[in-house]
Amino acid sequence: MRVPVTTSLTIEQFVAGQVTVKVSGTKNAVYGKRADGTVFASQRPGVNIYEDASAASVTTGKGRGIYYWAAVGAKYFVNGATVYKASYSAPLAATMTAGTDKVNFYEVGDNLVIIDTENNEGWYITSAASTTLVSISDVDFPPNQTPALTLAHGGASLNGTLYVGCTNGEIWNSAVEDPTTWGIADFTSAEVSPDDGVALYQHTDHIGFFGTKSLEFFYDNANPTGSPLNARSDVVHEIGTINHDTVWAEFNTLYFVGQTPSGSLGVYVLTNFQVNKISNNDFDSLLTSAVITDNVEVFGSGFTAGGRSFYCLTLFNIGSGVVSTEATYVFDSSGVLGDWELAYTDIDDMPLIGWTLATETRAGEGILSNGDLVTINDDFNPQDTTEEQVYILADYFEPGYYTSTAADGDPIEMEIVLGQGDSGTLETKFADGLRVVATPTDASQLMTIQWSDEGNNNYNTGRTIDLSNPKNRLNRCGSYKIRNYKLTYSGTENVEVEGLEMKVRA
């Protein structure tokens, strides 16, 4: 008989957002499908730290956002109160107000705008003065009004105009291609629900405005006075979000943690104005309990690799103004993939804060909550890497006469829990043999197989099997009535695991 890999995270026990006993699910894995429909699990893409915040002697634990500005050919990122251009060696002279919440970047005309919701501020940089950070000081910019309006998270740059939402349900707009100029009458209001404004994002060529209990859309109607926006009365959803930091958009797909009218939380995807829930009931319970009962906070971001988009939802706490992560769960458009953990010894989970947009053909870059800058090793090499630093003094070398040093790699440990099974009967059975159904490796690579009988948290020490020979199997695997299997692999080759093939005797 064959036990296939699980495609669902099912949970027996959890505490404060962390799964303590897993019935089925994966760690550090992604799913694929063969032409005949057979599902397999393989290692997640590798992550490369190319700039270590701690090695750069800057504040750690306060990564807040990153953006690649094609107009000046450089990335900008925020750590704590400081904005950097290109690298940690190039901080801008002016600083923002310190914080830990995500910031958002928008191109408006010849300007790069940074919206800092945590401190209710807006900043901009012009392409002509690309190292000068300036505060948006117009008295009609919502935070500068009397009384001051409070920004909702996010924003949008649509048809050359910057839009920001406010917690009172209003959407304000700048002048065309000029984020420094705002008018006292240039706003419109959400109409469907009296709930508070939480987050504003662009969806296709529309503005989507989240409240705590609603989501409605606006389009550019080119109104000659006041706001250019009109509301769409035909597309409204009675679902909102309580956490603005969970929203992440990729192309015309937007992921977010949504709140139903009854208060339950779940992970949703907005595509072509339609909302679908992609988290299962087990994860909804974990998430709702963590946020509502244990006061755990959440942020979401993501990236694209191998033609697929991945949404990374990290649960965290803040102590002494520094983010301390608890767990990272990863989704694609079909649902939850499982939890991911980086292989580095100095950071846990996958606390991705932001990712650069693909404004031109280039590799994307991300920033973690600890401030490290990362890329994705989309090369089927199952390792997380840290590039060794190259220190070269100016004037001591000829161009072309040096090479960068190699990267240090750490193998990605993939874990697959198949789920409890009784092999068709509750009578005592004997597992005479089992082998892994997986792509054979070129060299000798060992996978550890453990089993837990009559429960999901009493696994044995396990035995290893060599994946280089598909005929290899484990014999005399004991008796059981109900059994769960856990497969663990941290080899140097990529594998595709379909499940276990077992010889069972009653």
Side-chain angles (χ1 to χ4, degrees):
M1 64 174 295
R2 181 172 292 190
V3 181
V5 295
T6 180
T7 58
S8 177
L9 171 65
T10 54
I11 304 168
E12 182 176 313
Q13 296 177 23
F14 61 82
V15 175
Q18 293 186 350
V19 177
T20 54
V21 179
K22 183 186 300 180
V23 179
S24 68
T26 63
K27 180 180 73 175
N28 288 334
V30 296
Y31 296 115
K33 186 178 289 187
R34 311 234 186 264
D36 63 359
T38 301
V39 175
F40 62 86
S42 60
Q43 298 101 312
R44 62 163 172 80
V47 177
N48 173 51
I49 291 180
Y50 71 89
E51 191 157 5
D52 186 334
S54 60
S57 299
V58 298
T59 301
T60 58
K62 296 184 179 182
R64 303 181 65 191
I66 189 168
Y67 188 86
Y68 181 78
W69 193 8
V72 300
K75 66 178 176 291
Y76 288 79
F77 57 97
V78 179
N79 189 324
T82 305
V83 181
Y84 298 84
K85 178 184 177 182
S87 73
Y88 273 119
S89 64
L92 304 193
T95 58
M96 302 166 52
T97 303
T100 55
D101 276 8
K102 290 168 59 177
V103 299
N104 292 92
F105 298 80
Y106 305 96
E107 290 186 39
V108 185
D110 295 327
N111 307 276
L112 179 63
V113 178
I114 305 174
I115 298 297
D116 179 4
T117 307
E118 180 179 1
N119 296 299
N120 208 35
E121 296 172 342
W123 303 81
Y124 69 95
I125 304 164
T126 67
S127 58
S130 63
T131 59
T132 302
L133 180 69
V134 183
S135 173
I136 298 177
S137 58
D138 191 302
V139 295
D140 294 323
F141 181 54
N144 299 337
Q145 296 181 18
T146 304
L149 300 181
T150 302
L151 293 172
H153 192 77
S157 179
L158 181 64
N159 296 333
T161 300
L162 176 64
Y163 293 92
V164 295
C166 295
T167 57
N168 66 354
E170 295 174 351
I171 302 173
W172 288 75
N173 61 275
S174 71
V176 177
E177 297 192 351
D178 183 5
T180 69
T181 301
W182 299 73
I184 192 61
D186 293 344
F187 72 95
T188 187
S189 299
E191 303 172 351
V192 173
S193 177
D195 54 343
D196 294 337
V198 178
L200 184 147
Y201 277 84
Q202 182 173 337
H203 182 61
T204 65
D205 57 351
H206 287 58
I207 301 294
F209 196 20
F210 288 89
T212 54
K213 299 178 182 177
S214 65
L215 169 58
E216 54 186 302
F217 299 92
F218 298 79
Y219 64 96
D220 186 350
N221 194 53
N223 300 322
T225 60
S227 173
L229 301 178
N230 281 5
R232 286 277 302 266
S233 59
D234 59 327
V235 185
V236 177
H237 297 286
E238 292 185 357
I239 185 169
T241 181
I242 62 170
N243 194 307
H244 52 253
D245 279 341
T246 66
V247 182
W248 177 65
E250 173 75 344
F251 303 112
N252 291 326
T253 300
L254 190 147
Y255 295 81
F256 65 99
V257 171
Q259 176 181 233
T260 65
S262 63
S264 177
L265 303 181
V267 178
Y268 294 79
V269 170
L270 171 68
T271 306
N272 295 325
F273 302 102
Q274 298 301 310
V275 173
N276 294 295
K277 188 166 78 73
I278 58 172
S279 57
N280 59 25
N281 294 338
D282 284 7
F283 188 81
D284 293 351
S285 295
L286 176 148
L287 182 61
T288 303
S289 176
V291 173
I292 304 302
T293 303
D294 299 310
N295 297 315
V296 175
E297 301 190 57
V298 190
F299 60 74
S301 189
F303 63 93
T304 296
R308 300 171 60 184
S309 294
F310 300 99
Y311 174 62
C312 305
L313 187 67
T314 296
L315 282 68
F316 70 97
N317 290 290
I318 294 182
S320 302
V322 174
V323 170
S324 175
T325 61
E326 299 295 329
T328 297
Y329 302 95
V330 176
F331 299 75
D332 65 9
S333 59
S334 63
V336 60
L337 298 179
D339 54 311
W340 285 10
E341 295 179 352
L342 296 177
Y344 312 118
T345 57
D346 59 342
I347 184 173
D348 296 323
D349 313 309
M350 175 68 178
L352 187 64
I353 288 287
W355 197 261
T356 57
L357 299 177
T359 52
E360 60 182 37
T361 303
R362 60 187 299 277
E365 299 143 314
I367 186 169
L368 304 182
S369 64
N370 70 342
D372 289 350
L373 303 184
V374 301
T375 57
I376 296 298
N377 297 324
D378 200 2
D379 57 3
F380 301 112
N381 182 15
Q383 287 189 333
D384 288 339
T385 56
T386 303
E387 295 288 355
E388 295 181 353
Q389 301 297 314
V390 182
Y391 297 97
I392 302 175
L393 297 177
D395 302 326
Y396 277 80
F397 68 95
E398 291 291 332
Y401 280 83
Y402 69 94
T403 58
S404 61
T405 57
D408 289 331
D410 298 290
I412 298 169
E413 182 180 84
M414 177 174 63
E415 177 186 282
I416 304 170
V417 179
L418 297 181
Q420 279 187 322
D422 60 10
S423 302
T425 175
L426 287 176
E427 298 297 325
T428 299
K429 297 161 289 295
F430 299 88
D432 289 337
L434 61 86
R435 59 185 175 186
V436 180
V437 183
T439 53
T441 57
D442 293 331
S444 177
Q445 303 280 336
L446 299 181
M447 172 176 281
T448 299
I449 303 177
Q450 299 170 267
W451 49 86
S452 175
D453 294 338
E454 283 64 67
N456 296 298
N457 59 350
N458 58 344
Y459 288 95
N460 61 3
T461 56
R463 295 161 62 182
T464 59
I465 191 168
D466 192 341
L467 298 182
S468 63
N469 185 349
K471 295 182 179 180
N472 286 340
R473 71 176 189 176
L474 303 179
N475 297 313
R476 303 180 66 180
C477 299
S479 62
Y480 66 97
K481 291 185 177 180
I482 300 177
R483 174 171 285 186
N484 201 344
Y485 287 94
K486 180 192 295 185
L487 317 180
T488 306
Y489 174 74
S490 57
T492 58
E493 294 183 42
N494 185 270
V495 297
E496 297 175 351
V497 182
E498 297 180 11
L500 285 181
E501 188 172 87
M502 301 189 301
K503 184 178 180 181
V504 177
R505 172 173 53 88

